[in-house]
Amino acid sequence: MNITVWNENRHEQSNPKVREVYPEGIHGAIAGFLKEAGFGVRTATLDEPEHGLTDDVLSLTDVLIWWGHQAHDDVHDDVVAKVQQRVLDGMGLIVLHSGHFSKIFRTLMGTSCDLKWREADEKERMWVVNPSHPIVDGIGETIELDKEEMYGEHFDIPVPDELVFVSWFEGGEVFRSGCTYRRGLGKVFYFRPGHETYPTYHHSEIQSVITNAVRWAEPTTRPQPIRGNAKPLETIAEKE
Ligand code: ZN
């Protein structure tokens, strides 16, 4: 399987604190543990030509991972349209954290994807609410993160096809933090944690969830469904 890890890669340039947590960038950290898991991994970032998502790269990508935050509007609409088409054709997509507001996620969801948020170094406890789901293979009842940004309900998304995690935050809010969707032939997983100033993507259980999600989102190998005007398969009786 070929994975492309896409990152906006702007906080890493402007905030020394982020660079300290992710010296290779958030994309580098995620690519690192996915390589160790045996996947073919490339990275792509916003400031590369075509945001690093050329037709060749997209056609070779089985699962795309997306991290963005402050520059969602800088992502060109034609690239978003190409990514959307690839998802509909079967490519897996994993949208992380502030990617909830990315053009590609909002396009695929069709809702505002807005939520409540707070940066207060608070504890997050993620509850597994779908224990037989392959995305939580090897994960216990909860994952605890000592410090994270809070995301709270209401999260304006369509009802997930499957809810995998619900988060509780120290300040009292809850959030649907692991949600799956099917769009066309493609599978989409939204996974909440990963604020840029916290070492969340170095956390072994978070790495396990993302690794499991990549396997879950592997494209199915089947022809496109047949649509449009159709000849009958059986003889249709003539009616008076
Ligand atoms: Zn954040």
Side-chain angles (χ1 to χ4, degrees):
M1 269 221 275
N2 291 307
I3 316 305
T4 300
V5 182
W6 189 89
N7 180 21
E8 179 182 286
N9 194 33
R10 289 277 173 87
H11 292 291
E12 288 90 336
Q13 312 306 317
S14 59
N15 186 345
K17 200 172 160 190
V18 177
R19 233 176 5 253
E20 198 179 300
V21 180
Y22 295 110
E24 316 290 328
I26 287 172
H27 53 297
I30 293 171
F33 66 78
L34 290 176
K35 275 180 199 159
E36 277 180 30
F39 298 109
V41 186
R42 74 177 74 225
T43 61
T45 54
L46 179 64
D47 291 325
E48 294 170 44
E50 298 179 61
H51 312 318
L53 298 175
T54 61
D55 291 352
D56 282 350
V57 168
L58 282 175
S59 68
L60 290 168
T61 299
D62 295 309
V63 178
L64 176 65
I65 297 180
W66 194 277
W67 197 102
H69 179 225
Q70 62 178 14
H72 293 313
D73 287 346
D74 293 354
V75 177
H76 294 134
D77 291 342
D78 58 334
V79 173
V80 176
K82 284 179 191 177
V83 172
Q84 179 192 16
Q85 190 58 53
R86 281 286 295 130
V87 171
L88 298 178
D89 290 343
M91 182 181 74
L93 177 69
I94 298 169
V95 175
L96 298 172
H97 188 60
S98 40
H100 72 91
F101 257 161
S102 62
K103 286 182 180 178
I104 182 59
F105 191 61
R106 286 188 294 134
T107 298
L108 288 165
M109 296 298 108
T111 55
S112 77
C113 300
D114 205 353
L115 46 76
K116 200 177 265 130
W117 62 276
R118 174 174 63 236
E119 285 181 54
D121 286 351
E122 64 199 278
K123 181 174 181 166
E124 175 175 9
R125 185 180 289 123
M126 307 182 66
W127 288 90
V128 172
V129 296
N130 198 336
S132 66
H133 201 285
I135 285 179
V136 290
D137 271 1
I139 304 298
E141 192 173 35
T142 64
I143 298 174
E144 290 199 12
L145 300 167
D146 289 342
K147 287 181 189 175
E148 252 294 353
E149 180 181 10
M150 184 281 292
Y151 278 6
E153 297 285 346
H154 178 245
F155 185 19
D156 185 23
I157 46 171
V159 173
D161 294 342
E162 299 165 305
L163 187 57
V164 182
F165 287 102
V166 171
S167 283
W168 166 93
F169 292 88
E170 203 174 341
E173 287 86 356
V174 296
F175 190 76
R176 289 168 288 171
S177 51
C179 305
T180 75
Y181 296 92
R182 308 254 173 169
R183 290 293 183 268
L185 291 182
K187 291 175 236 165
V188 179
F189 181 53
Y190 173 76
F191 190 46
R192 194 217 77 85
H195 186 67
E196 65 272 7
T197 54
Y198 301 120
T200 301
Y201 298 122
H202 297 309
H203 189 290
S204 66
E205 289 171 296
I206 297 298
Q207 295 180 354
S208 294
V209 170
I210 294 171
T211 305
N212 290 341
V214 164
R215 293 197 181 101
W216 168 83
E218 181 176 17
T220 48
T221 48
R222 57 176 299 126
Q224 285 289 330
I226 299 158
R227 302 193 176 95
N229 186 262
K231 290 197 168 61
L233 280 74
E234 314 291 341
T235 305
I236 300 170
E238 284 187 34
K239 317 251 178 358
E240 296 278 318

